[in-house]
Amino acid sequence: MENNTVNFENVFNDKIGKNEYIEPKDWMPEKYRKTLIRQISQHAHSEVIGMQPEGNWITRAPSLRRKAILLAKIQDEGGHGLYLYSACETLGISREELIRQLHTGAAKYSSIFNYPALNWADIGAIGWLVDGAAIVNQVSLQRTSYGPYSRAMVRICKEESFHQRQGYELLLELCRGSKEQKAMAQDAMNRWWWPSLMMFGPHDADSAHSADSIKWKIKRETNDELRQKFIDKTVAQAEFLGLTIPDPDLKWNEARGHYDFGKIDWEEFNNVIKGNGPCNKQRLEHHVKVHNENAWVREAANAYAAKKAKAAKGALVA
Amino acid sequence: MSNNSNAALLEFVLRLGDNNLILGHRLSEWCSNGPFLEEDIALSNIALDYLGQTRILYTYAGTLEGGKTEDFYAYERFEHEFTNALITELPNGDYAHSIARQLYYSVFADLLLTELMKSKDATLSGYAAKAIKETAYHLRHATDWTLRLGDGTEESHQRMQKAIDDLFMYTGDMFATTEKEKSLVAAGIAPDVPALKAAWTKKVESVLKEATLTMPDAATWQMQGSRTNRHTEHIGYIIAEMQYVTRAYPGNKW
Ligand SMILES: [Fe+2]
Ligand SMILES: [Fe+2]
């Protein structure tokens, strides 16, 4: 503290060390800011792109009750996107720029949403497995070091656990139902299991961003730790449904106190990340198309707001 | 209640329910297609309100028919059995078309529900008291967007005027009634729907004026059909999509 200057970096590190939140006005290393923008925007985009596979079933939902649950869920996901865009904007980047980055491919979204929702049971599997995997990640992120991100996670987690329960309940109905319904559920399980495990990202040793993120407490647990947690809590749930997890190597390991599981197909994962998943093009092109086709609506809203602001100012002067 | 008045009540309740179901279905198609995220959410929210109203009404219809479920009415009737107003089944079009439809319909629903709150049928008046709160928000949403689009840019003004003009010929059908319904009006159960037309015109006119838009000519020819089983072609696709799973796997619970 000589010369009355504050060493901002020390203050920052001190806060991280003491598990105090970093707030938007605090000094932060440029790389911390960049890492956060990358992670939060990826998270926001995932919420929004994730509306597509589920939205694809709203008009075909087989009961009014399920339709209402699905609509409300997708609406929640849109809301999550909004909180997260806002959290990201506190880091000095605009929503417009974030969307531009999504459209150019500079920003990513979760690879899981590049898989198609093909049958009605997929809506259950997405809620149970995809929201389930997201919860494991997000519960951990409630303790992330950036204040606005942490607070967004707290709000979001409450809703995600509803989604998971509702997804599970949908599958339970199918598994207690006819042969065809059960087959539908197993088919969904077969297609969503491995991509759900991939949601946690590469193994720690191969993860490009993990070390810094852990050091700065942006991430509190590693990809592998979170993945293991998810598997450990999901196996019994699958058994209760009477569904088979499509992994012959899945086995309880008494010594580790965890389930062992088979090798994840990282070649598939890397290809989906690179844009070769079944729906990458479809999802992104859809977002771009809708955004561009509706530009005139946003322009009109801005023009109208500007007119009203001008009129209000004029009235004040007069 | 006599069989006749029961049939009349059922017909009226299904008319209200079908309007909500089909318009909600159309609005739900905006999910992931909205002009920006906030509007995507707002439209899903309105769709969800309509769906909630549908369920109240279909549940009531089920009790009138002695034990049919809400899902029966959505999933086990054929397209010609739906009695929704034609305007609710039209494709969404661009955002201006969907907003124009929301304006026309919300003004109508607001007037209808205001009267229905006075119904001698406790279930209907209770439904109306709940629904009118939602409809007040739908009307505000539609009005705000009519103003923004009408008085926004040159392009939005033109699109909005075109939408208002295109859809006007379907508005008269919202007010169509039947002989059975007239008997309910006499009994103080249903509002006199055709009589709402004057107030509707006045309200729509005032919103359009503020939005710098022109009210279509009152003499415009009006398409009719929703009370005589004459739908547009669009209903078939809505029903096909909605009922696909339940028809493919009949007799299952979902
Ligand atoms: Fe979410
Ligand atoms: Fe969710």
Side-chain angles (χ1 to χ4, degrees):
Chain A
M1 290 291 167
E2 268 176 291
N3 305 331
N4 267 348
T5 59
V6 181
N7 184 326
F8 290 117
E9 187 150 12
N10 285 348
V11 174
F12 172 84
N13 286 331
D14 201 44
K15 279 196 175 167
I16 297 279
K18 287 197 276 192
N19 286 325
E20 282 174 23
Y21 287 127
I22 307 300
E23 294 298 336
K25 290 206 170 84
D26 294 344
W27 183 91
M28 59 188 84
E30 200 42 38
K31 233 186 127 194
Y32 176 83
R33 181 190 305 274
K34 284 216 170 102
T35 304
L36 273 173
I37 289 178
R38 186 179 47 76
Q39 182 171 331
I40 302 175
S41 73
Q42 173 168 339
H43 195 161
H45 297 324
S46 302
E47 299 281 359
V48 172
I49 298 291
M51 294 166 77
Q52 289 182 38
E54 294 186 284
N56 145 58
W57 275 95
I58 295 172
T59 54
R60 290 179 290 169
S63 80
L64 295 179
R65 178 172 161 262
R66 294 281 175 210
K67 195 191 284 282
I69 290 173
L70 180 59
L71 243 177
K73 175 189 195 280
I74 300 173
Q75 202 188 333
D76 286 348
E77 307 298 6
H80 299 169
L82 277 186
Y83 307 155
L84 288 162
Y85 281 130
S86 303
C88 210
E89 282 176 310
T90 63
L91 293 159
I93 187 165
S94 68
R95 172 112 72 97
E96 245 181 329
E97 174 59 18
L98 292 169
I99 290 176
R100 199 191 60 80
Q101 290 180 357
L102 172 68
H103 289 179
T104 60
K108 303 277 182 221
Y109 56 87
S110 177
S111 59
I112 192 82
F113 299 119
N114 290 317
Y115 291 87
L118 298 176
N119 76 41
W120 171 246
D122 286 27
I123 295 306
I126 291 174
W128 172 42
L129 296 174
V130 176
D131 286 69
I135 290 169
V136 171
N137 192 25
Q138 289 168 0
V139 163
S140 174
L141 284 171
Q142 290 181 348
R143 296 180 296 127
T144 189
S145 58
Y146 188 55
Y149 192 24
S150 163
R151 289 188 287 273
M153 282 303 113
V154 172
R155 278 177 84 173
I156 288 174
C157 276
K158 285 188 195 134
E159 294 179 350
E160 298 295 11
S161 35
F162 266 115
H163 300 167
Q164 196 199 13
R165 241 176 297 156
Q166 287 161 342
Y168 191 75
E169 200 228 318
L170 188 162
L171 287 175
L172 194 58
E173 186 85 59
L174 298 181
C175 290
R176 301 267 155 93
S178 67
K179 214 170 72 212
E180 289 85 357
Q181 285 177 305
K182 182 139 194 221
M184 225 182 248
Q186 183 63 54
D187 177 45
M189 176 90 213
N190 293 347
R191 284 179 290 106
W192 289 95
W193 174 253
W194 288 105
S196 298
L197 299 192
M198 294 177 196
M199 280 175 72
F200 296 95
H203 286 309
D204 298 342
D206 309 319
S207 175
H209 305 291
S210 264
D212 275 346
S213 291
I214 293 282
K215 181 181 83 187
W216 283 325
K217 298 183 180 171
I218 294 175
K219 285 190 72 161
R220 304 303 306 256
E221 288 161 284
T222 69
N223 295 352
D224 285 329
E225 285 165 354
L226 293 167
R227 183 165 21 239
Q228 185 71 58
K229 260 191 190 172
F230 172 69
I231 293 170
D232 289 348
K233 74 169 192 163
T234 306
V235 173
Q237 295 169 358
E239 279 167 4
F240 186 75
L241 288 173
L243 293 178
T244 307
I245 293 178
D247 178 0
D249 297 323
L250 189 78
K251 218 175 93 206
W252 178 252
N253 182 326
E254 194 64 54
R256 286 206 312 128
H258 291 293
Y259 279 94
D260 289 337
F261 54 98
K263 206 170 143 342
I264 293 172
D265 185 351
W266 295 113
E267 199 190 336
E268 174 179 322
F269 175 77
N270 288 324
N271 265 294
V272 178
I273 296 275
K274 265 188 260 162
N276 299 328
C279 301
N280 294 59
K281 268 213 162 102
Q282 181 188 334
R283 302 283 187 246
L284 199 57
E285 275 172 12
H286 180 80
H287 198 278
V288 172
K289 178 173 162 273
V290 167
H291 188 76
N292 292 343
E293 275 178 4
N294 287 294
W296 68 273
V297 179
R298 298 189 299 276
E299 281 158 20
N302 289 337
Y304 181 78
K307 270 185 206 176
K308 290 289 134 181
K310 206 172 151 196
K313 216 171 146 197
L316 230 78
V317 171
Chain B
M1 196 177 280
S2 74
N3 275 347
N4 276 346
S5 56
N6 200 51
L9 185 54
L10 180 65
E11 183 199 77
F12 179 67
V13 169
L14 288 177
R15 162 77 164 176
L16 297 178
D18 293 350
N19 277 345
N20 280 293
L21 179 73
I22 302 300
L23 187 54
H25 181 102
R26 280 305 190 202
L27 281 185
S28 77
E29 293 174 350
W30 274 105
C31 187
S32 287
N33 289 298
F36 50 95
L37 190 51
E38 284 84 347
E39 266 316 283
D40 218 299
I41 295 171
L43 293 172
S44 304
N45 196 20
I46 297 172
L48 198 54
D49 286 344
Y50 287 137
L51 185 53
Q53 294 191 28
T54 307
R55 296 180 65 192
I56 294 173
L57 292 161
Y58 282 177
T59 301
Y60 186 34
T63 64
L64 294 173
E65 285 208 274
K68 285 200 168 106
T69 65
E70 58 174 18
D71 283 338
F72 168 84
Y73 299 102
Y75 294 96
E76 293 183 44
R77 287 185 299 156
F78 292 100
E79 42 269 56
H80 65 268
E81 297 175 277
F82 284 82
T83 56
N84 57 287
L86 298 178
I87 196 168
T88 62
E89 70 194 38
L90 299 178
N92 287 335
D94 67 1
Y95 201 61
H97 277 76
S98 284
I99 291 300
R101 181 174 57 197
Q102 281 309 103
L103 180 71
Y104 285 152
Y105 183 80
S106 302
V107 173
F108 168 76
D110 188 58
L111 293 167
L112 178 83
L113 292 169
T114 304
E115 290 304 310
L116 192 61
M117 278 166 62
K118 304 172 201 157
S119 171
K120 284 187 181 150
D121 181 294
T123 309
L124 283 178
S125 61
Y127 153 75
K130 178 187 183 292
I132 199 158
K133 290 182 200 139
E134 295 172 352
T135 299
Y137 161 70
H138 306 165
L139 180 55
R140 206 162 53 238
H141 177 266
T143 304
D144 288 350
W145 274 103
T146 303
L147 296 177
R148 283 187 196 113
L149 298 181
D151 195 15
T153 63
E154 184 56 38
E155 180 183 3
S156 71
H157 178 85
Q158 278 173 19
R159 283 180 184 257
M160 194 63 210
Q161 185 64 59
K162 180 169 172 14
I164 286 290
D165 293 343
D166 286 353
L167 294 180
F168 190 68
M169 66 181 281
Y170 296 97
T171 57
D173 173 74
M174 292 189 295
F175 300 91
T177 189
T178 64
E179 285 310 313
K180 282 191 191 128
E181 196 172 297
K182 283 178 194 159
S183 70
L184 294 180
V185 177
I189 290 172
D192 183 359
V193 175
L196 302 173
K197 183 78 180 271
W200 180 87
T201 304
K202 208 170 143 213
K203 172 73 184 169
V204 170
E205 221 161 25
S206 82
V207 174
L208 294 184
K209 191 169 171 224
E210 198 189 336
T212 72
L213 296 162
T214 310
M215 181 79 178
D217 187 346
T220 305
W221 185 77
Q222 293 292 316
M223 178 84 85
Q224 298 281 339
S226 63
R227 307 310 294 268
T228 51
N229 300 336
R230 286 166 191 245
H231 283 277
T232 67
E233 279 183 355
H234 307 294
I235 189 77
Y237 294 91
I238 293 177
I239 300 306
E241 209 171 316
M242 184 158 52
Q243 298 180 347
Y244 148 69
V245 177
T246 53
R247 297 246 181 232
Y249 305 95
N252 289 308
K253 275 178 67 189
W254 302 95

